[in-house]
Amino acid sequence: MQKLQGFQKVAVIGGSRYFGKLLVQRLHAAGHQVTVINRGSTPPPAGVEHLVVDRNDEAALTAVLGSRTFDVVIDQVCYTPVQAAIAARVFAARTRRYVMTSTIEVYDPATAALPAVPPGAPVPESAVDPAAWLVRLDLPWHDEAYLEAHYAEGKRQAEAVFAQQPQHSGRPGFAFVSVRSAHVLGGGAAEFTGRLAHYTGRITQGTPIAVHAEALPTVFIHYEELADLLQWAATATDATGPVNAASDGPLDVHGLGAVIAAQTGREPVYREVGAGEAASPFSFDRHYAMSNSRAKELGYSFSRTTDWLPAAVAETLAA
């Protein structure tokens, strides 16, 4: 595994909360020269440069960057191909490497016509190839309701813009890696989605949890591990293209409930949903649990979900 050597100039787009905030802290602690680019809602740690700008405003982003260049850009908040196209143009001559945080949702077979994966087989990165994915910049990506309804497709097309960047930036660009994150969990205040709290609250109160009749497994990652993997991806130069990020050991909703039950001493109560009825988060009736083999082959070592999940549950219960 080849790595960028020495301390680096790193730009983080976003980086104001959750694993992005932790990533900024870790990059700074490691001695890197860090620049955070966001709209200014939360200041970064002391010693970290802060550029306040709307990334959607290409002229403003270009102006605030000035003559700055970076060894690596880590993009935490790219959701649409329009945002990616702006970034591809602005950073084409400003960085050697670009890391985008993506998602397991790109593999959801309910959101696109994807290659069939054998039932239960971990889904590899090749199931969604951004180098060949169709980009539609003309779709209403600026509309929040449209974007929410097409979150997975927005991420797929954003990846595609970066993977096909000469076409969208008009010039040779940078090495690109998309980190496709599993469902991110943490404990207490670190778990900003509230999904783990949804389960701990219902189980401690004896409230039924809505699940599918045949709930299928999914994969998870602790927010600290994701921050660590993003830092690794920023410097591991052999890693290009899509990389799945998931702790070892898939769990279905019942396995998650069992871990919580062991902490609470209360058995979960489940209620099967009817056709078309929404289930609780992490109950899935379709298979798209990711394989993490490629990251391992590139040199990254994952924890096991069951090693860190009990502590995250305990922290959530304490909060």
Side-chain angles (χ1 to χ4, degrees):
M1 169 58 62
Q2 297 294 314
K3 289 192 174 185
L4 296 175
Q5 299 299 313
F7 297 138
Q8 307 298 316
K9 292 190 294 181
V10 183
V12 178
I13 305 177
S16 63
R17 62 176 185 167
Y18 207 29
F19 58 86
K21 184 177 181 179
L22 179 61
L23 172 64
V24 169
Q25 294 169 349
R26 289 187 172 181
L27 288 167
H28 180 57
H32 299 297
Q33 182 180 328
V34 184
T35 298
V36 168
I37 303 169
N38 59 33
R39 290 180 294 182
S41 59
T42 305
V48 172
E49 183 182 35
H50 191 195
L51 301 181
V52 178
V53 67
D54 183 348
R55 66 164 304 151
N56 300 308
D57 186 332
E58 184 170 351
L61 180 58
T62 300
V64 78
L65 285 170
S67 61
R68 290 174 179 81
T69 60
F70 306 98
D71 297 298
V72 188
V73 175
I74 305 175
D75 194 341
Q76 296 282 81
V77 289
C78 189
Y79 301 106
T80 76
V82 174
Q83 291 177 323
I86 290 171
R89 290 190 293 267
V90 171
F91 288 100
R94 284 185 168 88
T95 190
R96 294 181 289 161
R97 186 168 180 79
Y98 202 102
V99 178
M100 173 188 156
T101 303
S102 190
T103 173
I104 186 177
E105 300 301 330
V106 301
Y107 299 117
D108 185 350
T111 64
L114 300 174
V117 177
V123 179
E125 288 85 352
S126 58
V128 175
D129 179 8
W133 201 264
L134 177 65
V135 173
R136 290 285 307 278
L137 296 172
D138 58 322
L139 296 174
W141 297 111
H142 62 280
D143 182 271
E144 290 187 10
Y146 181 87
L147 178 56
E148 182 176 358
H150 297 83
Y151 170 74
E153 182 60 15
K155 283 290 194 180
R156 284 188 288 259
Q157 291 196 28
E159 288 189 36
V161 167
F162 288 123
Q164 304 164 25
Q165 62 190 288
Q167 175 182 339
H168 296 283
S169 67
R171 66 181 74 182
F174 36 69
F176 171 64
V177 56
S178 55
V179 174
R180 294 173 175 169
S181 171
H183 303 291
V184 186
L185 293 178
E191 209 281 285
F192 85 103
T193 66
R195 292 177 176 177
L196 191 55
H198 168 90
Y199 281 93
T200 57
R202 286 181 173 266
I203 291 173
T204 55
Q205 297 163 18
T207 306
I209 299 168
V211 299
H212 295 97
E214 296 183 15
L216 298 175
T218 189
V219 285
F220 299 92
I221 190 166
H222 192 272
Y223 81 102
E224 292 186 1
E225 184 164 38
L226 182 54
D228 180 70
L229 189 141
L230 286 165
Q231 186 170 356
W232 166 84
T235 59
T237 57
D238 290 350
T240 57
V243 177
N244 292 338
S247 299
D248 288 333
L251 284 178
D252 63 16
V253 65
H254 299 284
L256 176 61
V259 173
I260 297 170
Q263 296 282 323
T264 63
R266 299 287 300 275
E267 287 301 313
V269 178
Y270 297 108
R271 176 183 65 82
E272 292 184 6
V273 297
E277 184 183 357
S280 291
F282 308 139
S283 179
F284 295 99
D285 59 355
R286 54 203 184 276
H287 169 65
Y288 58 107
M290 300 186 301
S291 166
N292 62 11
S293 295
R294 182 165 191 258
K296 289 179 177 179
E297 291 167 1
L298 289 166
Y300 191 83
S301 298
F302 289 96
S303 66
R304 290 195 63 81
T305 302
T306 50
D307 288 339
W308 55 258
L309 183 55
V313 170
E315 291 169 9
T316 302
L317 289 167

